[in-house]
Amino acid sequence: MSPPSFPLDAAQSFIHVPVLGQEVVEGLRLRSGGRYLDATVGGGGHSRLILEAVPEVQITALDQDENALTAAQKHLAEWGDRVQFVRTNFAEFNPGTTQFDGILADLGVSSPQFDHPDRGFSFRLTAPLDMRMDQRQSLTAAEVVNTWGEVELANLIYTYGEERLSRRIARRIVERRPFETTTELAEAIFHSVPRSYRYGRIHPATRTFQALRIVVNQELKVLETFLELAPTWLKPAGRLCIISFHSLEDRIVKHRFRESETLHVITRKPITPTEAEMEQNVRSRSAKLRIAEKVADSSETS
């Protein structure tokens, strides 16, 4: 498959610092000439480490974000046709008859997506309430915030944000809407909670924004689908490495690995960043890496 023809100016601001990079390289157990799937290529940081680690590796690089794929295409250009780029959600990917020696999925929102002023993932910047990873889809955070009922909003904030004050926040959102920007919504949430809750370890809007992002992008549903499909794309003894950034994702990965009849769990406990990595990249602090290996015969897991 030929690389997509995207304008390369979007790549300039999309730099991907790979989280748990060395741990991923070791966890995939790379082999010379192997074929690997980077299911969330981002700016290409993990793929670059894989390509540099062993000779003649081939990578299929997926991302639903056009800017991310544009950046990866530029940053990995020196490897030519050893990297194939596909714009797709990893749960909708169809490899055909291709099987992989290893698969990596680095879940969640990348730093460039958080930092880009127009994407609406962060309330640090005034931006439209968008939050779409794939901007071809229609549902945005603005539609959820401004049209969903109070009970629906409270439920999604509680379920996907694990926010104990979800009802208070939902009530304030409904009272003050419509909202157009991220900072307007964050301010309303800030004033909906008790004063003692406003100055805690995280901003009181953090969990609500997480919940909205998960709903807009159907992140947990997509992850469940991917975890059903990915083992079928692996060769026997192929490795599946998944990096998650919050407990909802990690819980799904942990249980699906354990329940799988075709996977053997390599990491009984997740691998987490070293103190040195967390100092260098503060956004790595919540990362958890889990690894499983495809068994040759499903009966071996019984």
Side-chain angles (χ1 to χ4, degrees), residues 29-48:
R29 205 170 53 183
L30 301 173
R31 69 173 187 84
S32 177
R35 179 178 288 276
Y36 297 87
L37 175 66
D38 188 343
T40 49
V41 70
H46 284 109
S47 282
R48 172 176 283 275

Side-chain angles (χ1 to χ4, degrees), residues 120-131:
F121 289 111
S122 172
F123 48 80
R124 292 188 301 104
L125 306 166
T126 299
L129 280 165
D130 191 325
M131 299 193 192

Side-chain angles (χ1 to χ4, degrees), residues 152-264:
E152 286 181 288
L153 287 172
N155 287 341
L156 82 86
I157 294 168
Y158 180 80
T159 302
Y160 299 123
E162 300 180 292
E163 172 59 73
R164 62 184 178 85
L165 298 181
S166 59
R167 291 181 180 178
R168 296 180 64 146
I169 292 171
R171 189 180 310 120
R172 178 60 65 94
I173 289 173
V174 170
E175 289 172 351
R176 297 298 179 90
R177 65 190 187 187
F179 296 96
E180 294 184 359
T181 68
T182 53
T183 47
E184 287 174 351
L185 178 60
E187 183 74 8
I189 295 169
F190 181 83
H191 290 291
S192 73
V193 301
R195 184 173 295 274
S196 60
Y197 196 70
R198 296 175 188 174
Y199 303 100
R201 185 176 58 87
I202 62 173
H203 190 285
T206 301
R207 295 186 179 93
T208 298
F209 270 65
Q210 173 184 297
L212 289 169
R213 191 197 79 221
I214 289 173
V215 167
V216 167
N217 297 287
Q218 300 185 71
E219 291 179 32
L220 302 187
K221 180 180 178 181
V222 166
L223 176 58
E224 292 272 16
T225 301
F226 175 71
L227 289 169
E228 289 181 15
L229 295 173
T232 69
W233 303 340
L234 282 170
K235 296 177 183 178
R239 293 283 184 91
L240 175 58
C241 295
I242 299 186
I243 301 172
S244 62
F245 288 87
H246 58 74
S247 60
L248 296 174
E249 291 174 336
D250 181 60
R251 194 176 304 133
I252 290 172
V253 175
K254 177 177 68 174
H255 289 304
R256 297 302 170 265
F257 275 11
R258 288 178 178 176
E259 295 164 1
S260 174
E261 296 182 352
T262 59
L263 294 175
H264 168 67

Side-chain angles (χ1 to χ4, degrees), residues 65-199:
D65 187 321
E66 181 179 19
N67 290 344
L69 213 57
T70 298
Q73 184 184 9
K74 178 178 181 180
H75 298 151
L76 304 176
E78 64 189 276
W79 282 278
D81 60 7
R82 285 172 56 191
V83 187
Q84 295 179 321
F85 300 91
V86 184
R87 186 182 180 189
T88 185
N89 184 298
F90 55 48
E92 298 175 350
F93 175 59
N94 182 0
T97 59
T98 301
Q99 287 196 304
F100 300 97
D101 295 282
I103 298 172
L104 166 67
D106 180 3
L107 305 175
V109 181
S110 66
S111 293
Q113 287 171 324
F114 268 123
D115 295 338
H116 197 284
D118 295 330
R119 301 303 295 272
F121 289 111
S122 172
F123 48 80
R124 292 188 301 104
L125 306 166
T126 299
L129 280 165
D130 191 325
M131 299 193 192
R132 293 172 296 171
M133 293 183 184
D134 185 343
Q135 295 188 302
R136 296 172 296 186
Q137 74 176 49
S138 58
L139 182 65
T140 66
E143 181 177 342
V144 175
V145 166
N146 292 321
T147 68
W148 286 26
E150 182 178 331
V151 173
E152 286 181 288
L153 287 172
N155 287 341
L156 82 86
I157 294 168
Y158 180 80
T159 302
Y160 299 123
E162 300 180 292
E163 172 59 73
R164 62 184 178 85
L165 298 181
S166 59
R167 291 181 180 178
R168 296 180 64 146
I169 292 171
R171 189 180 310 120
R172 178 60 65 94
I173 289 173
V174 170
E175 289 172 351
R176 297 298 179 90
R177 65 190 187 187
F179 296 96
E180 294 184 359
T181 68
T182 53
T183 47
E184 287 174 351
L185 178 60
E187 183 74 8
I189 295 169
F190 181 83
H191 290 291
S192 73
V193 301
R195 184 173 295 274
S196 60
Y197 196 70
R198 296 175 188 174
Y199 303 100

